[in-house]
Amino acid sequence: MIWRQGQRGGDGSTNIQANSIQYGISYSDAKEIAMDVFKDNFAKLSTKAHEVAFQRADEFTSNYLSELHQRRPESIENLQDPGVQADLLEAQSGFAKSGDQDLGEILVDILVDRTAELERNLVSLTLGAALSTAQKLTSSQFSALSAMMVFQQMRVMGISHPKQVYMNISSCLAPMQNQIMSLSQSDVRYLAALGCLTISMGSTSIHQALQRMYPGLFSIGIEMPIESPGLSGSAENGPESVVYAFKDTPAITRDIRDPTKFRVAATDTESLHSLLERSGLTEHRELFERTMKARPLSGDVIVEEIEAFDRRIGDVMNSYNTNQLTNCSNTAVGIAIGHANIRRVTGGTFDAPLSVWLD
């Protein structure tokens, strides 16, 4: 049984079926290699237990090869690598012991990425460690790692409105609502003990993280002065002076929440620098950066907007705060597992490469 089916592609993309393309090793050869790895190495069990384990390993391997052919077909040659075979056995054994489909999908996702990494580097080592650690976690614990990644580390490029941020949060976390709500502080301590996250005294609230990632979207509109206050960088009247001085340039636009006010026409520092370069205003970069961050939106307003967009995320945020995930940070292994879990619940539509977060 294939757990996750369907082609993902768009204009200019190539859709690949698992049994219709070859890169040196055929699908049947790859399946034979993968199953030989399991048969020759998995611990001997009683006849009935061995039969069940073999059936599960076969199901897992079919799903792994299907996903590998869709996402990284050129990597099928790497099945001959000893390191890849060792991690393949680790993943097969993990699913054979439990038969849990959620775990199976996460192991498949991680293993596909691992198969593409032959070099002994941070990514391949992290993925190898994640294959072992994921087997020791529950669905709620998977979801905790995913929630931390979404709220603290996932910055979506090319957006221009807060609702696009909320849409991303909802698509990733709403499917995990029940799992996150069942999370306990014991789960959080357990994740820390396994090296999936670290717990610190300091904390970063959800709204603070969003303000850090998207300062231009989570700010209060700036009133346009009647007369020029003189260009200033001061905290008191700096934003108003910048808005007045550059009101007729592409760098200033109407505020999203209150169109009678104004804001810097950028989402974050990166998009601001690009805007200023196109507009010939790079010499005023520091002034615009201070202006964009000068009037942060109230955290209560941000939370209210998220809850109004999708009430399910309100429950997710309550559990997130109650279990003090605001005091936690994902480790590399936690990121790898959380990343795979987001791919699982979104049916693969979340396709940002893991290396983005491990560079």
Side-chain angles (χ1 to χ4, degrees):
M1 178 183 69
I2 301 300
W3 300 323
R4 188 166 69 207
Q5 296 179 320
Q7 295 286 3
R8 295 181 294 276
D11 294 342
S13 67
T14 301
N15 289 331
I16 300 168
Q17 291 289 352
N19 60 354
S20 63
I21 187 165
Q22 295 184 12
Y23 284 81
I25 298 177
S26 69
Y27 178 88
S28 58
D29 288 341
K31 182 71 177 291
E32 184 175 353
I33 291 170
M35 290 308 297
D36 282 346
V37 168
F38 183 78
K39 286 186 291 187
D40 294 343
N41 293 279
F42 193 68
K44 298 300 181 183
L45 303 171
S46 68
T47 302
K48 180 61 177 176
H50 187 272
E51 180 183 339
V52 172
F54 189 85
Q55 289 173 347
R56 289 173 176 173
D58 185 75
E59 180 183 4
F60 176 87
T61 301
S62 295
N63 278 276
Y64 159 62
L65 292 176
S66 175
E67 191 73 8
L68 183 66
H69 272 285
Q70 287 199 44
R71 285 170 49 196
R72 308 298 289 267
E74 73 285 356
S75 300
I76 196 167
E77 297 282 352
N78 297 347
L79 275 172
Q80 300 175 98
D81 178 76
V84 171
Q85 288 193 7
D87 284 332
L88 168 63
L89 175 62
E90 178 70 40
Q92 287 173 318
S93 302
F95 182 71
K97 286 182 283 189
S98 73
D100 182 88
Q101 184 173 320
D102 288 353
L103 172 62
E105 289 193 48
I106 288 172
L107 292 176
V108 161
D109 229 292
I110 296 172
L111 185 60
V112 167
D113 285 341
R114 169 64 184 96
T115 305
E117 294 287 339
L118 286 186
E119 185 179 347
R120 190 175 184 274
N121 55 24
L122 175 61
V123 175
S124 64
L125 293 173
T126 296
L127 291 167
L131 287 171
S132 175
T133 303
Q135 301 172 40
K136 304 169 186 176
L137 303 182
T138 66
S139 294
S140 289
Q141 292 158 2
F142 292 145
S143 297
L145 300 175
S146 296
M148 290 168 55
M149 190 172 180
V150 170
F151 285 135
Q152 298 180 19
Q153 298 164 298
M154 188 182 295
R155 184 166 66 92
V156 183
M157 307 300 292
I159 62 175
S160 58
H161 197 281
K163 286 186 177 180
Q164 293 173 287
V165 178
Y166 305 152
M167 175 64 76
N168 179 66
I169 292 172
S170 178
S171 64
C172 291
L173 297 184
M176 309 180 202
Q177 177 191 14
N178 293 335
Q179 288 76 21
I180 296 175
M181 288 176 64
S182 66
L183 193 70
S184 71
Q185 291 194 27
S186 294
D187 289 312
V188 176
R189 290 192 292 269
Y190 179 71
L191 287 167
L194 287 181
C196 295
L197 57 78
T198 58
I199 303 174
S200 64
M201 295 297 293
S203 67
T204 301
S205 67
I206 292 170
H207 73 264
Q208 287 173 330
L210 293 178
Q211 288 168 337
R212 182 189 70 241
M213 290 188 285
Y214 311 102
L217 298 183
F218 297 103
S219 59
I220 299 173
I222 301 166
E223 293 187 359
M224 179 71 69
I226 297 175
E227 298 180 355
S228 171
L231 194 59
S232 167
S234 70
E236 291 76 20
N237 67 351
E240 285 76 15
S241 70
V242 171
V243 164
Y244 189 90
F246 299 100
K247 61 181 182 296
D248 296 322
T249 73
I252 299 299
T253 189
R254 295 281 179 175
D255 183 59
I256 293 171
R257 296 171 181 83
D258 184 350
T260 67
K261 298 181 180 179
F262 296 82
R263 68 179 181 93
V264 175
T267 297
D268 50 32
T269 301
E270 184 176 294
S271 62
L272 173 62
H273 291 175
S274 177
L275 170 64
L276 295 180
E277 186 172 349
R278 294 194 307 270
S279 305
L281 297 171
T282 53
E283 63 184 291
H284 303 293
R285 177 178 294 179
E286 291 185 8
L287 276 176
F288 277 99
E289 286 184 5
R290 285 201 297 270
T291 301
M292 186 170 63
K293 301 174 183 179
R295 303 281 194 270
L297 190 65
S298 163
D300 290 339
V301 172
I302 296 174
V303 170
E304 288 172 4
E305 287 185 352
I306 297 174
E307 291 177 333
F309 185 86
D310 188 339
R311 60 179 180 78
R312 295 172 295 178
I313 304 304
D315 293 331
V316 169
M317 292 190 296
N318 287 336
S319 181
Y320 186 92
N321 293 330
T322 299
N323 290 291
Q324 298 179 314
L325 289 176
T326 54
N327 296 87
C328 301
S329 300
N330 274 333
T331 64
V333 171
I335 290 172
I337 296 172
H339 179 274
N341 191 47
I342 295 171
R343 281 189 60 88
R344 178 184 69 83
V345 302
T346 60
T349 56
F350 168 74
D351 58 2
L354 177 64
S355 58
V356 169
W357 288 273
L358 295 183
D359 285 344

